[in-house]
Amino acid sequence: MSDAFNPASQQFVALVLAADRTGKDPITQHTGAACKAFAPVDGIPMIIRVLDTLMACNQISSIILCGPPESLHAHCPELKQRIVSGQVKWLPNMDSPSRSAESGLNHVCRNTPVLLTTADHALLTPGIVQNFLQKSLAANSDATVGAINQNVIAAAFPNAKRTVIRLNDGGFCGCNLFTFKPQGRSVVKFWRKAEDLRKRPWRLIAQVLGFKTVLSYLLGSLTLHQALAAVSEKSGVTIQAIMLDDPRAGVDVDKVEDLVLAESILRSES
Protein backbone atom coordinates (compact mmCIF):
# COMPACT_ATOMS: atom_id res chain seq x y z
CA MET A 1 0.00 0.00 0.00
CA SER A 2 1.32 3.45 -0.89
CA ASP A 3 2.28 5.85 1.92
CA ALA A 4 1.17 8.83 -0.17
CA PHE A 5 -1.35 11.06 1.58
CA ASN A 6 -4.34 12.01 -0.53
CA PRO A 7 -6.21 14.95 1.05
CA ALA A 8 -9.00 14.56 -1.49
CA SER A 9 -10.20 11.46 0.36
CA GLN A 10 -11.13 13.60 3.40
CA GLN A 11 -11.59 10.49 5.52
CA PHE A 12 -10.16 10.42 9.03
CA VAL A 13 -9.88 7.72 11.64
CA ALA A 14 -11.07 9.13 14.96
CA LEU A 15 -9.00 8.23 18.02
CA VAL A 16 -10.71 8.84 21.37
CA LEU A 17 -8.76 8.83 24.64
CA ALA A 18 -10.90 7.54 27.49
CA ALA A 19 -8.55 6.36 30.23
CA ASP A 20 -9.68 6.18 33.85
CA ARG A 21 -6.56 7.36 35.64
CA THR A 22 -7.72 8.08 39.17
CA GLY A 23 -10.45 7.01 41.55
CA LYS A 24 -10.44 10.55 42.91
CA ASP A 25 -11.74 12.11 39.71
CA PRO A 26 -14.32 14.74 40.77
CA ILE A 27 -16.81 13.76 38.05
CA THR A 28 -16.64 10.08 39.02
CA GLN A 29 -17.09 10.90 42.68
CA HIS A 30 -19.97 13.29 42.01
CA THR A 31 -21.94 11.00 39.69
CA GLY A 32 -21.04 7.61 41.13
CA ALA A 33 -20.16 6.37 37.63
CA ALA A 34 -17.74 3.46 37.26
CA CYS A 35 -15.33 5.81 35.48
CA LYS A 36 -15.32 9.37 34.20
CA ALA A 37 -16.16 8.43 30.61
CA PHE A 38 -19.37 6.73 31.77
CA ALA A 39 -20.60 9.73 33.78
CA PRO A 40 -24.05 10.77 32.53
CA VAL A 41 -24.41 14.24 31.04
CA ASP A 42 -28.11 15.05 30.87
CA GLY A 43 -28.85 11.34 31.11
CA ILE A 44 -26.40 10.05 28.48
CA PRO A 45 -22.87 8.76 29.26
CA MET A 46 -20.41 11.32 27.95
CA ILE A 47 -18.48 8.71 25.96
CA ILE A 48 -21.71 7.79 24.11
CA ARG A 49 -22.28 11.47 23.32
CA VAL A 50 -18.79 11.71 21.80
CA LEU A 51 -19.17 8.47 19.82
CA ASP A 52 -22.59 9.54 18.48
CA THR A 53 -21.09 12.83 17.30
CA LEU A 54 -18.20 11.12 15.52
CA MET A 55 -20.47 8.53 13.89
CA ALA A 56 -22.60 11.37 12.50
CA CYS A 57 -19.61 12.88 10.66
CA ASN A 58 -19.17 11.80 7.07
CA GLN A 59 -15.47 12.64 7.24
CA ILE A 60 -14.92 9.96 9.91
CA SER A 61 -14.39 6.47 8.49
CA SER A 62 -13.88 4.57 11.75
CA ILE A 63 -13.40 5.05 15.48
CA ILE A 64 -10.74 3.71 17.84
CA LEU A 65 -11.29 4.02 21.58
CA CYS A 66 -8.31 3.85 23.98
CA GLY A 67 -9.78 2.87 27.36
CA PRO A 68 -11.55 2.62 29.68
CA PRO A 69 -10.30 -0.72 31.06
CA GLU A 70 -12.20 -3.74 29.76
CA SER A 71 -13.16 -4.70 33.32
CA LEU A 72 -15.42 -1.63 33.44
CA HIS A 73 -17.29 -2.13 30.16
CA ALA A 74 -20.18 -3.97 31.80
CA HIS A 75 -21.07 -0.69 33.54
CA CYS A 76 -21.91 0.86 30.15
CA PRO A 77 -23.87 -1.75 28.15
CA GLU A 78 -24.31 0.58 25.18
CA LEU A 79 -20.56 1.00 24.80
CA LYS A 80 -19.99 -2.72 25.23
CA GLN A 81 -22.52 -3.45 22.47
CA ARG A 82 -20.80 -1.03 20.09
CA ILE A 83 -17.44 -2.66 20.73
CA VAL A 84 -18.81 -6.19 20.29
CA SER A 85 -20.62 -5.20 17.06
CA GLY A 86 -17.46 -3.65 15.63
CA GLN A 87 -18.82 -0.10 15.46
CA VAL A 88 -15.94 0.92 17.72
CA LYS A 89 -12.50 -0.68 17.96
CA TRP A 90 -11.37 -0.80 21.60
CA LEU A 91 -7.76 -0.75 22.77
CA PRO A 92 -6.50 -0.84 26.34
CA ASN A 93 -5.24 2.53 27.49
CA MET A 94 -1.57 3.00 28.30
CA ASP A 95 -0.13 4.71 31.38
CA SER A 96 -0.25 8.23 29.92
CA PRO A 97 -2.24 10.15 27.27
CA SER A 98 0.69 10.34 24.85
CA ARG A 99 1.36 6.61 25.09
CA SER A 100 -2.33 5.85 24.55
CA ALA A 101 -2.29 8.12 21.50
CA GLU A 102 0.83 6.40 20.17
CA SER A 103 -0.77 2.98 20.65
CA GLY A 104 -3.87 4.12 18.79
CA LEU A 105 -1.87 5.58 15.91
CA ASN A 106 -0.04 2.27 15.53
CA HIS A 107 -3.40 0.70 14.61
CA VAL A 108 -4.09 3.18 11.79
CA CYS A 109 -2.75 2.85 8.25
CA ARG A 110 0.18 5.17 7.73
CA ASN A 111 -1.44 7.18 4.92
CA THR A 112 -4.68 7.84 6.83
CA PRO A 113 -5.17 11.16 8.64
CA VAL A 114 -6.21 10.92 12.29
CA LEU A 115 -8.47 13.02 14.47
CA LEU A 116 -7.66 12.85 18.19
CA THR A 117 -10.17 13.87 20.84
CA THR A 118 -11.22 12.90 24.36
CA ALA A 119 -14.16 11.11 25.95
CA ASP A 120 -15.04 14.09 28.16
CA HIS A 121 -15.93 16.36 25.22
CA ALA A 122 -19.66 16.03 25.95
CA LEU A 123 -20.70 19.14 23.97
CA LEU A 124 -18.92 18.14 20.78
CA THR A 125 -21.19 18.36 17.72
CA PRO A 126 -20.85 17.05 14.15
CA GLY A 127 -20.70 20.66 12.96
CA ILE A 128 -17.72 21.46 15.19
CA VAL A 129 -15.90 18.31 14.08
CA GLN A 130 -16.56 18.78 10.36
CA ASN A 131 -15.50 22.43 10.49
CA PHE A 132 -12.29 21.49 12.29
CA LEU A 133 -11.47 18.66 9.89
CA GLN A 134 -12.12 20.73 6.77
CA LYS A 135 -9.88 23.54 8.01
CA SER A 136 -7.23 21.01 9.07
CA LEU A 137 -7.16 19.40 5.64
CA ALA A 138 -6.70 22.81 4.06
CA ALA A 139 -3.93 23.81 6.48
CA ASN A 140 -0.36 23.83 5.26
CA SER A 141 0.87 21.82 8.23
CA ASP A 142 1.57 18.28 9.42
CA ALA A 143 -0.61 18.57 12.52
CA THR A 144 -3.30 20.90 13.80
CA VAL A 145 -4.67 21.84 17.19
CA GLY A 146 -8.11 23.28 17.81
CA ALA A 147 -8.26 26.54 19.75
CA ILE A 148 -10.83 29.18 20.58
CA ASN A 149 -10.56 32.74 21.77
CA GLN A 150 -11.44 33.10 25.42
CA ASN A 151 -13.76 35.99 24.58
CA VAL A 152 -15.98 33.71 22.48
CA ILE A 153 -16.55 31.40 25.44
CA ALA A 154 -16.97 34.27 27.90
CA ALA A 155 -19.62 35.92 25.69
CA ALA A 156 -21.66 32.72 25.46
CA PHE A 157 -21.07 31.31 28.94
CA PRO A 158 -20.11 34.20 31.25
CA ASN A 159 -19.73 32.04 34.35
CA ALA A 160 -17.61 29.31 32.76
CA LYS A 161 -14.14 28.88 34.23
CA ARG A 162 -11.74 27.64 31.57
CA THR A 163 -7.97 27.23 31.46
CA VAL A 164 -6.72 30.19 29.45
CA ILE A 165 -3.31 30.57 27.78
CA ARG A 166 -2.72 34.32 27.81
CA LEU A 167 -0.56 35.50 24.92
CA ASN A 168 0.22 38.82 23.32
CA ASP A 169 -2.55 38.43 20.74
CA GLY A 170 -5.23 37.25 23.17
CA GLY A 171 -6.34 34.59 25.59
CA PHE A 172 -6.86 31.13 24.10
CA CYS A 173 -8.51 27.91 25.28
CA GLY A 174 -7.78 24.46 23.94
CA CYS A 175 -10.57 22.38 22.39
CA ASN A 176 -9.24 18.82 22.84
CA LEU A 177 -9.20 18.45 19.06
CA PHE A 178 -6.06 17.51 17.13
CA THR A 179 -5.29 16.11 13.69
CA PHE A 180 -2.25 14.30 12.40
CA LYS A 181 -1.43 13.90 8.75
CA PRO A 182 1.10 11.09 8.14
CA GLN A 183 4.13 13.35 8.64
CA GLY A 184 2.61 14.76 11.82
CA ARG A 185 2.45 11.55 13.80
CA SER A 186 5.99 11.93 15.16
CA VAL A 187 4.80 14.85 17.30
CA VAL A 188 3.39 12.22 19.68
CA LYS A 189 6.97 11.21 20.57
CA PHE A 190 7.65 14.86 21.36
CA TRP A 191 4.48 14.92 23.49
CA ARG A 192 5.70 11.82 25.33
CA LYS A 193 9.02 13.53 26.07
CA ALA A 194 7.12 16.49 27.52
CA GLU A 195 5.13 14.15 29.76
CA ASP A 196 8.27 12.39 30.93
CA LEU A 197 9.88 15.75 31.84
CA ARG A 198 6.88 17.26 33.60
CA LYS A 199 8.54 16.83 37.02
CA ARG A 200 11.76 18.44 35.77
CA PRO A 201 10.46 21.89 34.75
CA TRP A 202 13.72 23.48 33.61
CA ARG A 203 14.55 20.59 31.30
CA LEU A 204 10.96 20.71 30.07
CA ILE A 205 11.31 24.40 29.26
CA ALA A 206 14.66 23.91 27.54
CA GLN A 207 13.70 20.86 25.46
CA VAL A 208 10.05 21.56 24.69
CA LEU A 209 9.88 25.32 24.21
CA GLY A 210 13.34 26.79 24.62
CA PHE A 211 14.32 29.59 26.98
CA LYS A 212 13.87 32.33 24.36
CA THR A 213 10.22 31.35 23.86
CA VAL A 214 9.58 31.16 27.60
CA LEU A 215 11.21 34.55 28.12
CA SER A 216 8.98 36.03 25.42
CA TYR A 217 5.97 34.54 27.20
CA LEU A 218 7.03 35.95 30.57
CA LEU A 219 7.56 39.38 29.00
CA GLY A 220 4.10 39.25 27.43
CA SER A 221 5.31 39.42 23.84
CA LEU A 222 4.71 35.82 22.73
CA THR A 223 1.95 35.28 20.15
CA LEU A 224 0.08 32.06 19.41
CA HIS A 225 1.82 31.74 16.06
CA GLN A 226 5.25 32.17 17.68
CA ALA A 227 4.45 29.61 20.38
CA LEU A 228 3.43 26.98 17.84
CA ALA A 229 6.41 27.85 15.63
CA ALA A 230 8.70 27.14 18.60
CA VAL A 231 7.08 23.76 19.21
CA SER A 232 7.23 23.01 15.47
CA GLU A 233 10.95 23.77 15.43
CA LYS A 234 11.66 21.61 18.47
CA SER A 235 9.51 18.68 17.32
CA GLY A 236 10.31 18.78 13.61
CA VAL A 237 6.56 18.76 12.86
CA THR A 238 4.77 21.79 11.47
CA ILE A 239 1.79 22.57 13.70
CA GLN A 240 -0.99 25.06 13.02
CA ALA A 241 -3.78 26.32 15.24
CA ILE A 242 -7.29 25.98 13.84
CA MET A 243 -9.43 28.73 15.35
CA LEU A 244 -12.98 27.63 16.08
CA ASP A 245 -15.94 29.90 16.73
CA ASP A 246 -18.49 27.61 18.42
CA PRO A 247 -18.11 28.21 22.19
CA ARG A 248 -19.12 24.61 22.94
CA ALA A 249 -15.82 23.50 21.39
CA GLY A 250 -13.96 24.94 24.37
CA VAL A 251 -15.98 23.21 27.09
CA ASP A 252 -14.97 19.76 28.30
CA VAL A 253 -16.17 18.10 31.50
CA ASP A 254 -13.32 18.04 34.00
CA LYS A 255 -15.00 19.53 37.06
CA VAL A 256 -18.45 19.37 38.63
CA GLU A 257 -18.99 22.99 37.52
CA ASP A 258 -18.27 21.88 33.95
CA LEU A 259 -20.87 19.13 34.26
CA VAL A 260 -23.48 21.60 35.53
CA LEU A 261 -22.66 23.97 32.66
CA ALA A 262 -22.76 21.23 30.03
CA GLU A 263 -26.14 19.99 31.24
CA SER A 264 -27.58 23.48 31.29
CA ILE A 265 -26.41 24.05 27.71
CA LEU A 266 -27.87 20.75 26.51
CA ARG A 267 -31.19 21.41 28.21
CA SER A 268 -31.42 24.89 26.72
CA GLU A 269 -30.94 23.38 23.25
CA SER A 270 -33.54 20.62 23.63
Side-chain angles (χ1 to χ4, degrees):
M1 183 180 293
S2 170
D3 283 344
F5 172 57
N6 178 17
S9 66
Q10 298 186 351
Q11 289 283 300
F12 286 73
V13 169
L15 177 58
V16 183
L17 303 187
D20 189 45
R21 303 195 183 282
T22 172
K24 296 181 179 180
D25 180 87
I27 300 298
T28 302
Q29 291 182 325
H30 178 74
T31 63
C35 65
K36 180 183 176 183
F38 296 167
V41 181
D42 199 22
I44 300 174
M46 64 171 81
I47 181 57
I48 298 301
R49 287 190 174 277
V50 172
L51 295 178
D52 282 347
T53 288
L54 296 174
M55 291 179 69
C57 296
N58 58 24
Q59 288 179 269
I60 301 294
S61 61
S62 59
I63 302 171
I64 297 175
L65 179 66
C66 289
E70 191 171 13
S71 60
L72 299 178
H73 292 183
H75 294 278
C76 188
E78 189 169 356
L79 175 62
K80 186 173 181 179
Q81 187 276 328
R82 294 186 189 204
I83 294 171
V84 171
S85 69
Q87 284 183 298
V88 175
K89 179 181 177 63
W90 175 82
L91 298 174
N93 57 276
M94 301 292 107
D95 61 0
S96 74
S98 69
R99 286 174 171 80
S100 289
E102 188 171 41
S103 172
L105 287 170
N106 288 338
H107 286 78
V108 181
C109 292
R110 179 68 191 174
N111 61 345
T112 302
V114 175
L115 164 71
L116 176 68
T117 190
T118 56
D120 61 0
H121 212 330
L123 296 181
L124 199 61
T125 68
I128 292 172
V129 174
Q130 302 261 101
N131 181 35
F132 177 64
L133 294 182
Q134 289 164 7
K135 290 181 176 178
S136 294
L137 281 171
N140 185 25
S141 63
D142 301 324
T144 65
V145 53
I148 190 166
N149 194 293
Q150 172 203 11
N151 294 334
V152 174
I153 299 177
F157 315 127
N159 298 320
K161 295 181 180 179
R162 313 308 307 159
T163 300
V164 180
I165 301 172
R166 301 188 186 282
L167 299 173
N168 181 264
D169 48 346
F172 301 95
C173 299
C175 297
N176 283 2
L177 291 168
F178 309 86
T179 68
F180 307 100
K181 294 174 184 174
Q183 304 91 324
R185 294 188 180 193
S186 60
V187 78
V188 174
K189 293 183 173 61
F190 182 75
W191 178 12
R192 190 176 67 200
K193 180 191 294 186
E195 284 183 342
D196 291 342
L197 291 173
R198 66 187 181 279
K199 293 184 179 179
R200 306 172 76 175
W202 288 110
R203 285 193 64 188
L204 178 64
I205 289 170
Q207 295 188 30
V208 174
L209 287 177
F211 288 106
K212 181 180 178 181
T213 301
V214 173
L215 181 61
S216 295
Y217 173 73
L218 293 174
L219 293 175
S221 61
L222 188 68
T223 66
L224 179 60
H225 176 77
Q226 290 169 338
L228 289 176
V231 175
S232 296
E233 182 179 1
K234 288 286 185 177
S235 66
V237 172
T238 57
I239 305 168
Q240 183 172 320
I242 302 298
M243 299 306 301
L244 300 174
D245 54 14
D246 188 324
R248 294 171 294 181
V251 179
D252 55 10
V253 181
D254 273 331
K255 307 181 293 295
V256 175
E257 304 94 286
D258 301 333
L259 177 60
V260 172
L261 173 63
E263 292 190 322
S264 70
I265 294 168
L266 289 166
R267 288 168 184 164
S268 71
E269 294 173 348
S270 61

